[in-house]
Amino acid sequence: MNLSSDQVFRPGGHAYDRERMGLNRAMESRPAYVVGAIDEQDVAAAVRMAVAQGRAVGVMATGHSPTVAADGAVLINTGRMNGVEVDPRARTAWVEAGTRWRQVVERAAPHGLAPLNGSSPNVGAVGYTTGGGAGLLGRRFGFAADHVRRLRVVTADGRLREVSADSDPDLFWAVRGGKDNFGVVVGMEIELFPVSQLYGGGLYFPADATGDVLHAYAEWTRSLPEHMASSVLLAQNPNLPAVPEPLRGKFVTHVRIAFSDAEGGEELVRPLREIGPTLLDTVRDMPYAEVGTIHHEPTDAPYLAYDRNVFLRDISKDAVDTLLAHAGPDAQPPFITELRHFGGAYSRPPEVPNCVGGRDAVFCLFTGATPAPGSLESRDRFLADLRPWGTGGTNINFAGVEDADPAIVRTAYRPGDYTRLTEIKAVYDPGNVFRINFNIPPKAAPA
């Protein structure tokens, strides 16, 4: 099958910039051309064409740019592939490569079901899931990758494979956590869960309460049921009309809550409300379809972001003091910081094993910096000072354009798992065609 000329976008041609540019402009790619795939056969044709020309293959689905520059490569844009089919009896959904989580949430909600989506419904479902996927139901059910039933994958030989634990156990294990290192996932079947309501929203505290909030939050998380998901964001809000007036231009400590049991949410949240007055309190009973309002993340305009994260095994009083010293309001940090509670079902191995790491983490600390002078250096000093509480691991979905170094990619996986990933890579992609990513290179053949 050949691609039509109006699906191949070349430099200087119509819509090339639109097709190649993602939301995060920290990494800008100039591929040899971009293929606007409409279906899985287009993806297979694009991979075969790239391999025949000796080019690498990168993937862009819903707006996030490739991790490394796709200069001279073939970039496959799967954003047009956005079909969703829900089977309410089986409690599953079939999701195409370019589908955003909001489409899955919308299709599942009328049946009283929910996927294991991320905090932003505008994020692509496939890339999120193949990176592990830690969302607002994860402490209760585990990583999104733990609940994939089957995949359709185009591998480096241009072959379209139906991949499951029975048909291709090694590839199935590797793709669920190894992202796009082993091929292009053109569709996946995922489990859905009987969750129709949340007690959720945000508690927005003023700057002078940050220390009290963080110490109380650290203690509060020690005895929570797995149905309670939460995180804290520390950020200086811009003085812009789009920001709600009580928060505009202020440093805010934003506690995010998502409780998925039918009863008891208000009582569990009470100790946080008793810390002191809030600038805004949006925690309420809500339909699951409104899950995106909890984190309320802006995803509709291009930005420059340099993201990094570390997994933490604990958040002691000293760890909180370190966090405050670097990321609290008095530090005037040139970055945002999020502390997300893990543990619970994240820590348990899935029924069908995969390569997702981080199961020993109790928290994930994420930072988002800008390229302003001193910003990256300040962020890195902060992360270095948190090492005494770290696991040594990172979350591949929360990593940024600086983290494509193989030494950093390794930290997302258990050591034995990383070795196995390189061996599987050597079987399915020996030429490392799929390297426009957090690359896992193929294991070298014996001399």
Side-chain angles (χ1 to χ4, degrees):
M1 175 182 177
N2 294 321
L3 296 163
S4 64
S5 60
D6 61 356
Q7 290 178 266
V8 180
F9 304 90
R10 301 182 185 277
H14 176 65
Y16 173 76
D17 286 343
R18 182 193 67 206
E19 294 290 326
R20 72 180 175 92
M21 298 290 281
L23 284 173
N24 188 357
R25 302 296 167 82
M27 179 61 65
E28 183 174 343
S29 296
R30 293 192 174 276
Y33 47 88
V34 185
V35 174
I38 296 173
D39 57 30
E40 59 188 27
Q41 297 300 330
D42 289 347
V43 174
V47 170
R48 289 192 294 268
M49 185 165 59
V51 171
Q53 297 173 2
R55 299 185 186 278
V57 173
V59 182
M60 187 169 73
T62 59
H64 283 76
S65 305
T67 309
V68 299
D71 297 351
V74 173
L75 184 62
I76 303 175
N77 189 325
T78 62
R80 297 166 178 80
M81 299 169 60
N82 56 12
V84 179
E85 296 178 10
V86 169
D87 184 338
R89 287 194 173 186
R91 293 182 179 174
T92 61
W94 178 257
V95 181
E96 289 188 345
T99 303
R100 298 175 189 265
W101 274 124
R102 59 176 166 75
Q103 296 166 276
V104 188
V105 171
E106 289 169 0
R107 294 291 299 274
H111 306 288
L113 299 172
L116 299 185
N117 57 283
S119 54
S120 170
N122 283 326
V123 166
V126 168
Y128 166 93
T129 301
T130 57
L136 299 183
L137 296 177
R139 276 179 39 82
R140 180 175 175 185
F141 297 112
F143 289 97
D146 298 346
H147 298 281
V148 175
R149 297 277 189 90
R150 61 186 175 95
L151 301 159
R152 284 178 70 80
V153 183
V154 176
T155 46
D157 55 6
R159 177 180 166 188
L160 183 61
R161 299 172 185 260
E162 187 85 16
V163 179
S164 68
D166 295 326
S167 67
D168 292 275
D170 284 344
L171 187 59
F172 192 59
W173 176 86
V175 174
R176 293 174 304 129
K179 289 187 80 71
D180 52 349
N181 270 285
F182 303 90
V184 183
V185 176
V186 295
M188 63 180 185
E189 183 181 62
I190 58 172
E191 296 176 23
L192 301 175
F193 297 86
V195 177
S196 59
Q197 294 283 130
L198 292 174
Y199 184 70
L203 301 172
Y204 298 80
F205 290 92
D208 59 10
T210 300
D212 291 340
V213 172
L214 286 177
H215 282 290
Y217 176 77
E219 189 61 32
W220 179 73
T221 57
R222 297 186 189 282
S223 58
L224 290 176
E226 294 181 356
H227 291 58
M228 176 63 82
S230 65
S231 64
V232 180
L233 177 72
L234 306 180
Q236 174 67 45
N237 283 325
N239 188 11
L240 296 173
V243 179
E245 193 280 329
L247 315 177
R248 196 175 300 157
K250 297 176 181 176
F251 187 98
V252 175
T253 301
H254 177 195
V255 182
R256 287 82 73 91
I257 300 293
F259 183 65
S260 58
D261 206 348
E263 298 179 353
E266 185 173 0
E267 188 61 29
L268 279 172
V269 175
R270 188 184 308 278
L272 298 179
R273 286 192 165 116
E274 289 176 349
I275 295 170
T278 58
L279 300 169
L280 196 62
D281 181 345
T282 65
V283 182
R284 69 195 192 285
D285 291 315
M286 64 170 65
Y288 190 83
E290 296 179 11
V291 63
T293 66
I294 295 174
H295 281 232
H296 198 61
E297 295 162 330
T299 57
D300 56 351
Y303 54 85
L304 280 170
Y306 293 82
D307 301 335
R308 278 205 163 148
N309 73 94
V310 293
F311 277 134
L312 304 175
R313 66 178 75 257
D314 190 21
I315 187 76
S316 66
K317 179 182 182 300
D318 288 344
V320 171
D321 288 341
T322 300
L323 201 161
L324 284 166
H326 287 277
D330 292 342
Q332 298 183 329
F335 49 81
I336 65 168
T337 299
E338 181 197 55
L339 183 67
R340 187 175 296 205
H341 192 201
F342 269 51
Y346 288 128
S347 65
R348 295 193 287 272
E351 184 177 337
V352 179
N354 58 44
C355 67
V356 177
R359 297 187 188 272
D360 56 345
V362 179
F363 292 92
C364 182
L365 187 135
F366 164 86
T367 59
T370 69
S375 177
L376 304 184
E377 294 82 0
S378 176
R379 174 208 61 191
D380 288 346
R381 286 194 296 272
F382 172 36
L383 297 180
D385 283 355
L386 286 171
R387 282 177 189 154
W389 301 278
T391 67
T394 58
N395 185 302
I396 205 71
N397 273 353
F398 293 153
V401 298
E402 302 161 277
D403 295 336
D405 185 303
I408 297 176
V409 175
R410 280 175 176 266
T411 66
Y413 306 99
R414 295 177 291 268
D417 286 355
Y418 183 82
T419 299
R420 184 182 174 192
L421 286 165
T422 66
E423 294 168 349
I424 296 171
K425 178 81 166 187
V427 173
Y428 290 95
D429 183 16
N432 206 14
V433 170
F434 300 108
R435 60 181 181 269
I436 311 298
N437 48 31
F438 296 108
N439 190 229
I440 299 170
K443 184 177 182 179

